[in-house]
């Protein structure tokens, strides 16, 4: 079966909008994408007419956790079997919202990726980190338990112990994530908001630990993604060779320059900050997190604006973590336009830039280009002039992943 999409406008992901565009695919790859004039004849094709055709979007920082509250401790008090059932619905929500790829940075994503690949769960392609490596007492440790229980809780919930100290353990931690099927290595290189006792300003992991993690990951052809808020943590992570910086709250000129020089991308996750400020209270966000979120919120928006201004390369990530929140991922694009991007820059961030957050593990997708995977969505309206359209799943009328139709 050949599919032919005829669109008022084709947004290729990278590059200019094409008026009167056509996209054709017969199997898992795109065979033509461009102006209608030059398109080959396809007499037997299934024809879809739409306002806008664009690549399927990439969520580059999400968590399939299967919890309802804004209190991460719910992970440890929820049976993992139940959480796993719940995330299958979140996977479907993401796909139907136009997200055909997800880089999952801590949660059940590695297991979900297998179930999606087997065709048993309808969802995006998932590229997961397993858990996220943390030093003892770091952002990924569970501060409400003794350490032995914290390790046990993590093994029970997401499959492997994530707490590592010293270069040798750090290296072993990378290997534990690989045995979960990790496609990217996630670490916590500073304190965080939704953890009790650590300070987002302070760096986590020593230089030797960071270098061991990067060395081991690089050898296994994985890049390292580093959760970091404070400046010292960001500089240390960038100098150690991480390739994506997550959140980046206290970015300044010096950090932005170092990122550009070292080819490091920013995944800013504005959505979660806005969400916690607006809805955290009614969703049981702990008192300590409220304080930390409020302290970071304004600075975070300014940091993103500075990074946009400096031309730091970015990919879209929301830090979405809860049941039923998945599907709202597209709200991030309008937030990026609020921070100074043009709509087309936000779309490039959400599509063409996504695969680059996986380094050598990147699939051939993210753009409407012949030969690339047929991950294609149709939009009612024109997101190049009204970016907020992409925040509402109902505006995503058709979703194709690998040439297979999942919506429309
Ligand atoms: Zn996160």
């Amino acid at each position: 079966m050949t599919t032919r999409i005829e669109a008022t406008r084709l947004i290729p992901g990278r590059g200019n909008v094409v008026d009167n565009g056509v996209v054709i695919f017969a199997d898992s790859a795109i065979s033509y994408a461009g102006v209608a004039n030059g398109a080959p004849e396809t007499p037997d094709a299934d024809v879809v007419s739409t306002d806008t055709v664009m690549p399927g979007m990439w969520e580059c920082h999400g968590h399939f956790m299967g919890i309802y509250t804004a209190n991460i401790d719910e992970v440890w008090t929820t049976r993992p079997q139940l959480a796993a059932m719940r995330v299958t619905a979140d996977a479907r929500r993401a796909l139907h919202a136009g997200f055909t790829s997800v880089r999952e940075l801590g949660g059940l994503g590695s297991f979900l990726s297998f179930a999606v690949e087997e065709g048993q769960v309808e969802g995006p392609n998932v590229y997961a980190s397993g858990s996220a490596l943390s030093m003892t007492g770091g952002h990924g440790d569970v501060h409400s338990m003794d350490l032995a229980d914290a390790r046990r809780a993590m093994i029970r919930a997401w499959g492997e112990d994530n707490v590592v100290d010293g270069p040798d353990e750090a290296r072993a931690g990378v290997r534990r994530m690989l045995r979960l099927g990790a496609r990217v290595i996630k670490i916590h290189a500073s304190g965080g908001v939704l953890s009790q006792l650590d300070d987002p300003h302070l760096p986590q992991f020593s230089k030797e630990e960071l270098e061991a993690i990067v060395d081991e990951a690089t050898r296994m052809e994985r890049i390292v993604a580093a959760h970091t808020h404070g400046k010292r943590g960001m500089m240390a992570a960038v100098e150690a060779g991480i390739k994506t910086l997550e959140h980046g709250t206290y970015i300044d000129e010096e950090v932005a320059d170092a990122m550009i020089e070292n080819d490091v991308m920013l995944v800013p996750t504005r959505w979660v900050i806005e969400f916690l400020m607006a809805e955290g209270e009614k969703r049981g966000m702990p008192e300590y997190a409220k304080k930390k979120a409020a302290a970071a919120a304004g600075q975070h928006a300014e940091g993103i604006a500075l990074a946009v201004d400096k031309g730091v390369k970015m990919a879209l990530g929301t830090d979405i973590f809860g049941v039923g929140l998945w599907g709202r991922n597209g709200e991030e694009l309008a937030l990026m336009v609020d921070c100074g991007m043009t709509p087309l820059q936000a779309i490039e961030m959400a599509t063409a830039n996504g695969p680059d957050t996986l380094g050598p593990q990147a699939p051939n997708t993210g753009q409407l280009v012949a030969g690339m995977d047929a991950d294609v969505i149709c939009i009612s309206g024109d997101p190049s002039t009204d970016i907020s359209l992409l925040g509402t799943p109902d505006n995503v009328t058709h979703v194709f992943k690998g040439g297979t139709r999942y919506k429309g």
Side-chain angles (χ1 to χ4, degrees):
M1 166 71 84
T2 299
T3 303
R4 181 188 188 95
I5 302 173
E6 302 182 340
T8 308
R9 74 195 60 74
L10 180 158
I11 301 178
R14 186 166 289 148
N16 292 327
V17 177
V18 176
D19 291 327
N20 297 317
V22 166
V23 177
I24 300 170
F25 46 91
D27 47 35
S28 65
I30 295 168
S31 59
Y32 179 85
V35 290
N37 268 338
E41 300 289 323
T42 51
D44 300 323
D46 188 6
V47 178
V48 175
S49 294
T50 180
D51 294 338
T52 301
V53 65
M54 60 179 272
M57 292 184 282
W58 274 73
E59 164 64 78
C60 295
H61 186 136
H63 301 278
F64 286 109
M65 289 181 173
I67 61 173
Y68 286 97
T69 68
N71 184 343
I72 296 300
D73 278 351
E74 190 188 343
V75 172
W76 325 118
T77 55
T78 302
R79 289 222 186 237
Q81 296 88 343
L82 176 58
M85 298 280 171
R86 291 169 177 166
V87 303
T88 60
D90 282 336
R92 188 170 186 280
R93 289 183 181 106
L95 184 64
H96 284 239
F99 284 80
T100 50
S101 302
V102 171
R103 192 176 69 137
E104 203 259 11
L105 295 182
L108 290 160
S110 53
F111 306 106
L112 184 61
S113 73
F114 295 131
V116 169
E117 215 172 283
E118 289 165 9
Q120 301 303 329
V121 171
E122 187 176 308
N125 294 322
V126 179
Y127 306 92
S129 69
S131 182
L133 299 179
S134 172
M135 64 179 206
T136 295
H139 179 51
D141 191 357
V142 186
H143 306 164
S144 58
M145 302 174 189
D146 65 67
L147 185 57
D149 279 355
R151 289 181 191 276
R152 186 63 215 151
M154 183 60 78
I155 295 169
R156 188 172 150 271
W158 298 343
E160 290 291 346
D161 179 11
N162 67 322
V163 176
V164 294
D165 296 292
D168 288 349
E169 276 190 26
R171 208 176 275 280
V174 172
R175 294 175 184 173
R176 285 200 293 277
M177 296 307 124
L178 290 171
R179 74 190 292 278
L180 290 171
R183 303 289 291 273
V184 51
I185 300 301
K186 163 86 178 291
I187 66 168
H188 295 301
S190 84
V193 170
L194 290 180
S195 46
Q196 187 181 355
L197 296 172
D198 56 351
D199 182 342
H201 287 93
L202 299 185
Q204 298 188 350
F205 282 131
S206 68
K207 183 172 185 285
E208 292 71 27
E209 288 165 330
L210 290 171
E211 284 173 356
I213 290 167
V214 169
D215 182 63
E216 188 66 15
T218 305
R219 198 167 55 81
M220 301 310 284
E221 300 191 340
R222 267 69 172 177
I223 63 112
V224 178
H227 153 111
T228 329
H229 293 287
K231 178 172 180 177
R232 282 162 60 203
M234 287 191 279
M235 291 304 284
V238 169
E239 278 160 19
I242 64 102
K243 282 297 166 196
T244 69
L245 206 150
E246 313 295 315
H247 316 306
T249 303
Y250 296 96
I251 276 190
D252 64 8
E253 297 256 348
E254 190 185 352
V255 177
D257 287 338
M259 290 176 74
I260 291 167
E261 199 182 306
N262 291 284
D263 199 19
V264 174
M265 292 172 75
L266 176 65
V267 183
T269 71
R270 184 63 196 166
W271 185 91
V272 78
I273 299 290
E274 300 273 348
F275 168 78
L276 290 175
M277 297 306 290
E279 299 175 44
E281 181 89 51
K282 67 170 193 260
R283 291 188 189 248
M285 176 166 59
E287 208 54 45
Y288 59 78
K290 268 180 228 167
K291 284 191 198 128
K292 291 203 254 185
Q299 180 58 50
H300 183 245
E302 281 171 35
I304 300 168
L306 181 138
V308 172
D309 222 45
K310 297 280 284 186
V312 174
K313 189 171 174 186
M314 297 194 204
L316 179 141
T318 58
D319 214 356
I320 272 178
F321 57 88
V323 177
L325 299 178
W326 281 92
R328 293 176 60 180
N329 313 65
E331 293 175 7
E332 180 78 0
L333 287 98
L335 297 175
M336 291 300 103
V337 170
D338 290 346
C339 289
M341 282 193 180
T342 66
L344 279 184
Q345 278 178 314
I347 290 171
E348 180 171 354
M349 173 191 194
T351 57
N353 290 359
D356 296 339
T357 64
L358 290 172
Q361 297 290 316
N364 190 24
T365 180
Q367 299 179 57
L368 298 184
V369 170
M372 282 201 175
D373 292 348
D375 294 351
V376 181
I377 60 176
C378 299
I379 309 296
S380 164
D382 180 6
S384 72
T385 54
D386 180 4
I387 197 68
S388 70
L389 289 176
L390 295 174
T392 304
D394 281 352
N395 295 325
V396 181
T397 58
H398 295 72
V399 176
F400 299 86
K401 189 189 73 166
T404 300
R405 188 191 292 224
Y406 290 91
K407 185 180 185 183

